[in-house]
Amino acid sequence: INTYIGHNHRRDADEEMFLHMFAHTLAGIIKRKRAEENLKASENLAKTLMNAPVDAAFLLDTDGIILAANQAFVARFGGPEDALVGKPFFSLIPPGIAASRRAQFEQVLSSRVPLHTHDERNGLALDNRIYPVVAADGTVAQVAVFSRDVTEQRRASLAMQKALADLERSNQDLEQFAYVASHDLRQPLRMISGYLGLIEKRLGRELSPDMKDFIGFAVGGAKRMDALILGLL
């Protein structure tokens, strides 16, 4: 790592710490990359990745035969691990789904690009990630699959969507109610203001200054309440 500093630049502890951290991070990345390259064709890497405790993980050869499986996979499909290893994976799932899953499997084999899919069957919602295991010669030797059960998250998401839809419907009902209620509340106020205006017009000069003030106060109060109702709406 080359660093360039200006003339008369003073040494700074924070800067040096940052450079050390950057160097250590870069060295770690280089070491990890070298380790990944050395283990690329190793079956041990696939076995290590399959030990994730949350996901059902299994390893297939290019014909779709199960080479290894973790305990989550065994628990999902039942039976001991020895009974599953060596079996064609696509024989374990319903025929209608097996065809599309085999097509995804073939896609990963040909493209050598990981694939992320979702699967719903028998009341389960599964989040699947399919990874090609590339050998040293560049060919795909195996396929690793990690399948997470997201049924509860799916149910929670559907419940949230329903709750939001119910809330939206409730808000629309409230908006309609506010509109109708405000309309009904404003109508008497218009009558009050209108009749007070008629009284003032009919009596005219017979009204004392106090009476005119009282009518003005009443009309003003009706107008303020009308404005409040509009604000509420």
Side-chain angles (χ1 to χ4, degrees):
I1 301 175
N2 295 326
T3 60
Y4 298 88
I5 58 177
H7 184 62
N8 293 329
H9 181 78
R10 294 176 178 271
R11 296 185 64 167
D12 183 272
D14 291 337
E15 290 180 350
E16 291 187 12
M17 182 179 297
F18 170 77
L19 291 174
H20 280 296
M21 292 174 60
F22 183 84
H24 284 303
T25 301
L26 184 57
I29 293 173
I30 294 173
K31 289 180 180 179
R32 185 167 63 251
K33 183 63 178 177
R34 287 174 178 171
E36 290 175 354
E37 291 174 351
N38 293 334
L39 294 175
K40 185 180 297 183
S42 174
E43 185 177 349
N44 292 332
L45 174 61
K47 290 181 178 180
T48 300
L49 294 174
M50 286 193 300
N51 285 330
V54 176
D55 301 341
F58 53 101
L59 190 67
L60 304 176
D61 66 9
T62 54
D63 294 324
I65 303 299
I66 301 174
L67 301 176
N70 68 352
Q71 291 302 314
F73 178 87
V74 172
R76 181 181 298 176
F77 286 92
E81 181 179 354
D82 294 341
L84 294 173
V85 173
K87 277 190 173 182
F89 167 71
F90 301 105
S91 67
L92 301 178
I93 56 181
I97 299 176
S100 62
R101 297 301 171 267
R102 181 176 287 277
Q104 295 171 354
F105 176 78
E106 297 294 340
Q107 176 183 338
V108 172
L109 285 178
S110 60
S111 67
R112 297 188 299 175
V113 176
L115 186 63
H116 183 199
T117 67
H118 296 276
D119 183 12
E120 294 190 20
R121 65 174 185 268
N122 300 328
L124 290 177
L126 304 176
D127 183 90
N128 305 316
R129 298 178 185 271
I130 309 171
Y131 294 90
V133 180
V134 182
D137 60 0
T139 61
V140 178
Q142 299 164 340
V143 173
V145 182
F146 303 89
S147 178
R148 177 168 298 180
D149 187 345
V150 293
T151 304
E152 293 302 321
Q153 295 91 320
R154 176 64 173 165
R155 290 174 180 171
S157 176
L158 292 175
M160 179 65 72
Q161 293 176 12
K162 182 179 182 301
L164 291 175
D166 292 342
L167 180 60
E168 179 66 21
R169 185 165 51 252
S170 176
N171 286 340
Q172 292 176 357
D173 293 342
L174 287 173
E175 184 176 356
Q176 183 65 22
F177 170 78
Y179 175 80
V180 174
S182 65
H183 180 272
D184 292 344
L185 289 173
R186 293 178 68 199
Q187 196 275 337
L189 293 175
R190 288 194 293 268
M191 288 185 60
I192 293 172
S193 298
Y195 279 107
L196 286 174
L198 289 175
I199 292 173
E200 183 178 20
K201 184 177 180 180
R202 180 165 297 182
L203 295 179
R205 298 179 180 179
E206 298 179 15
L207 290 174
S208 65
D210 288 342
M211 291 300 296
K212 290 183 178 181
D213 289 340
F214 296 159
I215 293 175
F217 294 151
V219 172
K223 291 181 178 180
R224 286 194 299 273
M225 181 166 285
D226 185 72
L228 288 173
I229 293 172
L230 285 176
L232 177 62
L233 175 61

